Amino acid sequence: MTARPTLIVVLAAWLTCAQAQSEPGWYLGTGLIPPRPRPELTVPPHPTEPREASEPGYQQFGGYRFTRHWSVDFGYAGSSQANTWTVSGSGLLPISRSFSLQGRLGLAVPTAELSTLSSMDPARYRANMLWGFGGQYDFNRSVGLRLDYNSRYGEDAAYNRARTDLWSINAVVRY
């Protein structure tokens, strides 16, 4: 008989935690993409061949969480060498009240330095696949810290198909 009250208390606590994360709402985030060393080259690259960035970058994103398991992100990531606009859907797996794992799938559109979507030449820039994963720790209902890995494929008329792998650390604010 004592197992039932304990089970009910555990179940009530679990539902309370689940409800705390399930609130839909808007969020904004900003983060840093740490610099990476350039790989050693055995053959000099062709002048039009893209190279991995060796400088830090940044990203800005916003989105809407529909449920505790699904959200949509819109973002911009850039450095002085390359910029990308992104849109992706995210699946969230709450592990505890404060921590959740995330998976992401969407589109990335590379742009020239300091360009906007309205000034892009559609013949030069094409949308490409974006996928990623990460985790987010929420300090409270409004503020969190997210660690992300994103992989983007870039292909435009001037370059060969290239993959960009980026780790980032981001601050997230929910409204």
Side-chain angles (χ1 to χ4, degrees), residues 81-102:
Q81 296 176 352
N83 301 299
T84 303
W85 289 94
T86 62
V87 59
S88 61
S90 294
L92 302 126
L93 177 63
I95 302 298
S96 71
R97 184 175 185 174
S98 299
F99 183 73
S100 61
L101 296 176
Q102 300 178 344

Side-chain angles (χ1 to χ4, degrees), residues 2-173:
T2 60
R4 279 198 155 189
T6 305
L7 180 62
I8 292 171
V9 169
V10 169
L11 190 57
W14 181 77
L15 287 173
T16 303
C17 291
Q19 288 174 351
Q21 290 185 342
S22 65
E23 294 179 19
W26 294 98
Y27 57 89
L28 292 174
T30 187
L32 296 175
I33 302 168
R36 295 186 332 182
R38 291 179 188 231
E40 292 295 323
L41 298 175
T42 56
V43 178
H46 189 273
T48 61
E49 187 176 321
R51 301 246 349 248
E52 293 293 326
S54 64
E55 62 187 37
Y58 60 91
Q59 73 178 13
Q60 322 273 285
F61 60 90
Y64 188 79
R65 182 179 279 189
F66 297 101
T67 69
R68 72 181 200 160
H69 296 291
W70 301 105
S71 68
V72 64
D73 284 356
F74 300 95
Y76 179 81
S79 69
S80 67
Q81 296 176 352
N83 301 299
T84 303
W85 289 94
T86 62
V87 59
S88 61
S90 294
L92 302 126
L93 177 63
I95 302 298
S96 71
R97 184 175 185 174
S98 299
F99 183 73
S100 61
L101 296 176
Q102 300 178 344
R104 180 170 298 108
L105 184 62
L107 297 174
V109 180
T111 64
E113 292 83 8
L114 303 174
S115 70
T116 63
L117 286 175
S118 62
S119 65
M120 289 184 356
D121 177 10
R124 181 171 164 84
Y125 301 104
R126 293 182 243 162
N128 295 286
M129 186 177 80
L130 160 76
W131 66 271
F133 61 87
Q136 181 168 320
Y137 182 81
D138 293 321
F139 296 106
N140 56 40
R141 289 179 186 249
S142 301
V143 178
L145 187 65
R146 182 188 289 184
L147 177 67
D148 277 331
Y149 168 82
N150 288 303
S151 183
R152 293 176 222 161
Y153 290 89
E155 181 178 351
D156 62 39
Y159 298 113
N160 296 328
R161 188 166 174 84
R163 186 172 120 185
T164 305
D165 298 322
L166 301 172
W167 284 96
S168 63
I169 187 163
N170 309 286
V172 180
V173 177

